[in-house]
Amino acid sequence: MMSHSDVKKAVLAYSGGLDTSIILKWLQDTYHCEVVTFTADLGQGDEVEDARAKAKAGGVKSIYIEDMREEFVRDYVFPMFRANAIYEGEYLLGTSIARPLISKRMIEIANAEGADAVSHGATGKGNDQVRFEFGFYALKPDVKVIAPWREWDLVSREDMLNYAEKHGIPVERKREGSKSPYSMDANLLHISYEGYDLEDPWCEPSEEMWRWSVSPEAAPDVPEYVELSYKGGDIVAINGVAMTPAQVLTELNRLGGKHGIGRIDIVENRYVGMKSRGCYETPGGTIMLKAHRAIESLTVDREAAHLKDELMPRYAKLVYNGYWFAAEREMLQQAIDASQATVNGDVRLKLYKGNVMVVGRRSDQSMFDERLCTFEDDQGAYDQKDAGGFIKLNALRLRMRALAGK
Amino acid sequence: MMSHSDVKKAVLAYSGGLDTSIILKWLQDTYHCEVVTFTADLGQGDEVEDARAKAKAGGVKSIYIEDMREEFVRDYVFPMFRANAIYEGEYLLGTSIARPLISKRMIEIANAEGADAVSHGATGKGNDQVRFEFGFYALKPDVKVIAPWREWDLVSREDMLNYAEKHGIPVERKREGSKSPYSMDANLLHISYEGYDLEDPWCEPSEEMWRWSVSPEAAPDVPEYVELSYKGGDIVAINGVAMTPAQVLTELNRLGGKHGIGRIDIVENRYVGMKSRGCYETPGGTIMLKAHRAIESLTVDREAAHLKDELMPRYAKLVYNGYWFAAEREMLQQAIDASQATVNGDVRLKLYKGNVMVVGRRSDQSMFDERLCTFEDDQGAYDQKDAGGFIKLNALRLRMRALAGK
Amino acid sequence: MMSHSDVKKAVLAYSGGLDTSIILKWLQDTYHCEVVTFTADLGQGDEVEDARAKAKAGGVKSIYIEDMREEFVRDYVFPMFRANAIYEGEYLLGTSIARPLISKRMIEIANAEGADAVSHGATGKGNDQVRFEFGFYALKPDVKVIAPWREWDLVSREDMLNYAEKHGIPVERKREGSKSPYSMDANLLHISYEGYDLEDPWCEPSEEMWRWSVSPEAAPDVPEYVELSYKGGDIVAINGVAMTPAQVLTELNRLGGKHGIGRIDIVENRYVGMKSRGCYETPGGTIMLKAHRAIESLTVDREAAHLKDELMPRYAKLVYNGYWFAAEREMLQQAIDASQATVNGDVRLKLYKGNVMVVGRRSDQSMFDERLCTFEDDQGAYDQKDAGGFIKLNALRLRMRALAGK
Amino acid sequence: MMSHSDVKKAVLAYSGGLDTSIILKWLQDTYHCEVVTFTADLGQGDEVEDARAKAKAGGVKSIYIEDMREEFVRDYVFPMFRANAIYEGEYLLGTSIARPLISKRMIEIANAEGADAVSHGATGKGNDQVRFEFGFYALKPDVKVIAPWREWDLVSREDMLNYAEKHGIPVERKREGSKSPYSMDANLLHISYEGYDLEDPWCEPSEEMWRWSVSPEAAPDVPEYVELSYKGGDIVAINGVAMTPAQVLTELNRLGGKHGIGRIDIVENRYVGMKSRGCYETPGGTIMLKAHRAIESLTVDREAAHLKDELMPRYAKLVYNGYWFAAEREMLQQAIDASQATVNGDVRLKLYKGNVMVVGRRSDQSMFDERLCTFEDDQGAYDQKDAGGFIKLNALRLRMRALAGK
């Protein structure tokens, strides 16, 4: 840990909420440093401009508030979906994928502002501290990282409120009173819920918890069809209308949320060692995963697809654990991206009460040839006798093993 | 290829349908050998005893008709589900997993009967010929395998009907006339559809095609909860009622089918080289996969679970490609099974219109400890300062790389 | 198999030796097609120009004889060595890596010549037929491939000599008589031996068999030091002298051969199913592998290096099996190459009687920092207390597993 | 970190040397606890009984001194060599594999003695602290671990000597004066060297450093042949003489050391984050690795062998990082061991000046069949025409990809 007097200027990931407002004050008082705030709009649904007045009131001179939605989807979400990434069979990595972008921008700001430190509001028990700090260290190896939750002695909500009151930090009592009992995180890809009654993994979450989607029960009784167009593995149009990456995800969130799509309830393994319960809504992402696999099924070579499937859990784990800017994630991305040049075409989906059903896929670069697979006369496209040799040679080692007495 | 006169006695996988009845006759006429028929009840839903009269009429002296449902689920389906096996992200391997059992039993019969050959009715374009024959060769390396579809010159349905008529093989005209236009395969795990209008991957299958499940739209408007109990990674009870493996799968098929669960529509890569469109109904299996992941999430160590996830695509591919009796499948199974001793406990699910929602999981051997993950005061169970050292050491290489100029 | 009359013009991989001279005649007689010959100098040590007169004598109008050594090393050998590729723990893939280049050039010639077929002299039992033909099909999917050894009825050396005599193909009796009893293949990377007394895997090969290197016993009694310089993972200079790729490999072959380096004697698994005994001399390649790992040890990030190690066996298998032009090999190459940008610097080696000993490595982009690893006072570069947190968090899951009763 | 007063009794890994004698005293003074010492003979070559008098003089009442060589080789070294484990392409894991056994025995002693803590003398910069402590936590999750090097303020050799003098701990001045300048570790598998002039990776180690083997230059001028017999993947006899595991390794160390075999000089990646230079002598292990691959080449199925090769780097990394008692290591071991039942037979080796040359291998369960691979007439064992079908079907996807325009 650095000495407090070493820090001259720190860039803080600032939401404008109570916690990061307390951190702002705590940094100023503890490290006696100038604090630069950074607030990103990643589609979390809050009004990021609200942070400006609060930062000003907190004595901040350099205030960065930026809409990063397009960069987020284009450079982080889309590349990750090219990998069909799922962590532990269920989780679409909505929180994980947002962290590296924030780290990257904070380091850029630190460099521009001549700041020597960065700080964030993630706790010492979660994955986000790891993700933020790996980003910081990978991009600015000599940066000083300040993680107040691992340093200070505020351990309960009451401690926090007392600190705020003592230092004149405005607490929106009403909001504090009515706020969700869950620990939540949101961005254009998802919203997450942890804590409170979810800490009992046998307890079913109440319908009130969910914010972004209706329940399957409450979804329309009539299915809706949607057509997605792919280019190079990414969605470029919905129902024939060209869209930017952030527009794509926004529209798919609308469609998925309307049809009760994308809720999951899991127990996951955190990188810091424990198992934890989380619920997630990823309406658009759930649609994207299903559709991407469908367009790949026509346009990606079998062994390329299988290699992707074998590398995927490792890729997903790297993203989950915060290694976006690590050499091995970049290597895997190169391999994955090399498979996507042919991933062009359309997927037709049927959305209905929580279900995403693929009902059609087509591509000018399809490797599907109905003459090869038909059970009808194929006019010589495939010689069935070839299969005999194929089987005999592949079985040779099986036979040798049996003869050797296993 | 062996000379026709080499074969003395052949065991034929015999369904009693038109195709294998033609094969029976063709074998007798072409190879001049005695044919032993084997008909297995794997839960496909046909009355297997019907095959007895037909085989007798065909001049067969040794007729084997066996109910193998328990062995099928206990020794093949359940071990495969311990691996959470999915082929190409979607397919639950319903056809693939039934083939090795049939091969194994046929070889046992061949040995008991002193037969030197085995035969099956799979075509030369599909995966099943491979799966059958790998099983044959692995278990009886000197066996002669006769695959009529790769030998004879009957290439269309019309050829088949002509052959049947010419040789007095009874054709159930009515059934032929009213039968599904799809190529289908069924067992206790699933039913599959290929061919006909599915050969256009842009064409949505008609509702009439599906046989085992209602559509999500037609499923009940009221959700149903079900509780599954696991022991050693396998389901041993449903809603508190102890059941055998086949009973478990039968009941889950009933539940899943009722709630519109387990339909998929995919383009898959066959081992023999082409892409092919297939639709599948796997109601019980779909529930099992979701539930198994849920009980594992509480009871399997993180890195064991991740190792399983990384090995899974390879395991699934081996099953798909027919390598059940290969050394490498056995090695992977050993690894997988070694992770399942602690997989005990209950999973609570909500079934609704195509959705399988996990709403609770509990276990006496849970590795979940709410004191570790709580955002509230944990009374010292976890020292947040440890995270600082954890991050610093894991980031050391990231920093060294950055310093080395990437 | 195509009808013989379908073929108009065929490009033949032609060495000028007896076997391919017979094939040349056989193609002309059997397929009644024009034959274009292609002879490549890959460093095999034969005088390739000798093939010209023989081809002319055989009636060939279009004769291609090309020195491909630079392209071979630059585009095939070097990329493969970036992967540290070894097949089955021992084999440096000397034969495998030469095949795709030959296939590629033959297809280019076929396109330029308007040829519709290609042909080669590899037998139906080996890997080379597979490697050649995968290259052909991947680069010209509609090409006709003629593999005489799988078609004709010449099954013994005597049959071959009779055929030659009958058709007036000159047999160098003397050479036939004095030639090595082994089946051999050579290029700039290696020379291989199969067959004859090697078919007994308990039999030690005689010293007379080896052609390229002295035995360790016969090597100089004085060690020799050599310094290799790397740029982007490839060797660009030896002992400070800049060299082209083929020059590098030629010089390392000289050095390795002089010091008895690079002989192996193995039983390997062929792709077509059987085990086979082979002996190989790879003097330069053996030095390159050792040195490349040494320069990587300083300049590649830990997890990037480990990912390379985990992908390597799969990469090596793809090369061995002939999948150079497959999507999955290209994907892996992208991943591997992405790790090599920092692989710059020098390696110092000591060569002595079969041993390649790394005695030094240095790089401007070294990630080695002696302050971090020293057991002496490191002046604060590393805080040992961080290790406590690192261990505690990594051990958390081990403890939870033990508490859950394993 | 626990409070000092919490500890009642601690088991210390005690060598009897200066460092652990200082730790013994420091534990008594700092934690005011009873200390139990444990000294294991793992073949390091020291006289372990010397530790008894020193421990007694230090006031220790419970002194454990045990010969664990057989258990070490049988339960740790041999299982690891079944995997052909190599870390980062070079390192045979000699130090890594000894740690879990020490941890296991210490926890057994702690349980027997009613001790609540364990302690070791590994520093905070190395891998051994991690390996020891993962073992402790996995086997006794509530144990208190005391790592003095991470706690105390003795940071230089001078500090250590001052502490010893002040507390009356006898320093063998002569030994201190004449001792190797390297940090060393030894057991029956290897001896390692780190630090001093090795901290410059361009510096060649001096011949004086090496302790266990002669240099290749100094090795006999006459080769020596040796025959190893395998059962279930482990060596059970040398030159026809049955031996226990520890006897096998002792004899192979003698042979290897005599012939200059098994020295390596590498830069490796530590788990705690930095790169470090190490030199190792592993004479017997180097022979074992080569021989094990040779006997496997005859007796293990191709795909089983390839699966082993793909899993190996991960297995080696787990051993290196200290995860011997982790679920995932146990899973991999199950898979590996499942491949070894057929690994029976003999390997003949030629040892000469640093070289281990395989010159023969044989087995009653050999899967090698010379009829299959011969280039001579095989009397129908293999039908070359089968290769045509094999290639055509495997190439189908390559052709489809080319047709789809890549």
Side-chain angles (χ1 to χ4, degrees), chain A residues 128-236:
Chain A
D128 286 329
Q129 57 175 341
V130 185
R131 296 164 185 156
F132 279 130
E133 298 180 26
F134 284 176
F136 297 148
Y137 287 127
L139 299 173
K140 190 178 173 69
D142 60 343
V143 74
K144 290 163 190 157
V145 175
I146 306 171
W149 284 97
R150 299 200 305 259
E151 290 190 31
W152 67 25
D153 49 6
L154 310 174
V155 296
S156 66
R157 187 109 302 253
E158 203 185 340
D159 291 344
M160 297 289 282
L161 293 173
N162 288 343
Y163 186 97
E165 187 168 16
K166 186 173 154 196
H167 292 86
I169 299 164
V171 178
E172 299 173 48
R173 288 287 166 193
K174 193 163 155 231
R175 202 179 164 203
E176 275 293 308
S178 69
K179 76 183 265 196
S180 166
Y182 300 98
S183 171
M184 306 190 335
D185 175 73
N187 59 51
L188 206 50
L189 183 53
H190 93 339
I191 181 168
S192 67
Y193 311 89
E194 291 183 295
Y196 189 54
D197 60 357
L198 298 180
E199 290 184 2
D200 173 6
W202 188 248
C203 168
E204 181 175 359
S206 70
E207 184 53 34
E208 286 69 43
M209 179 188 75
W210 308 96
R211 300 261 169 134
W212 276 22
S213 63
V214 302
S215 68
E217 291 92 324
D221 289 328
V222 179
E224 180 167 2
Y225 285 80
V226 60
E227 194 177 312
L228 307 182
S229 299
Y230 279 87
K231 190 161 178 196
D234 300 330
I235 302 172
V236 294

Side-chain angles (χ1 to χ4, degrees), chain C residues 143-173:
Chain C
V143 75
K144 290 162 189 157
V145 175
I146 306 172
W149 284 97
R150 299 200 306 259
E151 290 191 30
W152 67 27
D153 50 6
L154 309 176
V155 298
S156 67
R157 187 110 303 252
E158 203 182 342
D159 291 345
M160 296 290 283
L161 293 172
N162 289 342
Y163 187 98
E165 187 167 18
K166 185 173 154 197
H167 293 85
I169 298 165
V171 177
E172 298 173 50
R173 287 286 168 194

Side-chain angles (χ1 to χ4, degrees), chain A residues 1 272-274 301 303-304 307-308 310-311 314 327-328 331-332 334-336 338-339 383 393 396-397, chain C residues 1 272-274 301 303-304 307-308 310-311 314 327-328 330-332 334-336 338-339 383 393 396-397:
Chain A
M1 202 180 305
V272 290
M274 74 286 280
D301 168 85
E303 296 300 315
L307 177 56
K308 286 189 72 211
E310 291 193 49
L311 296 178
R314 178 186 284 251
E328 65 274 22
M331 288 169 66
L332 292 178
Q334 288 289 325
I336 290 158
S339 71
D383 184 349
L393 293 210
L396 191 50
R397 65 179 181 93
Chain C
M1 206 179 307
V272 289
M274 74 286 279
D301 169 85
E303 296 301 315
L307 177 56
K308 286 190 70 211
E310 291 193 49
L311 297 177
R314 178 186 284 249
E328 65 275 23
E330 295 169 6
M331 288 169 65
L332 291 178
Q334 288 289 326
I336 290 158
S339 71
D383 184 347
L393 293 210
L396 191 50
R397 66 180 180 92

Side-chain angles (χ1 to χ4, degrees), chain D residues 33 44 59 96 124 129 147 156 169 173 191 203 206-207 216 235 241 262 276 283 309 312 322 343 348 379 394:
Chain D
C33 64
Q44 62 267 46
S96 327
Q129 57 175 341
S156 67
I169 299 164
R173 288 285 166 193
I191 181 167
C203 168
S206 70
E207 184 54 34
I235 301 172
V241 181
S276 93
D309 282 349
M312 185 278 281
V343 182
R348 196 158 167 262
Q379 290 142 343
N394 278 313

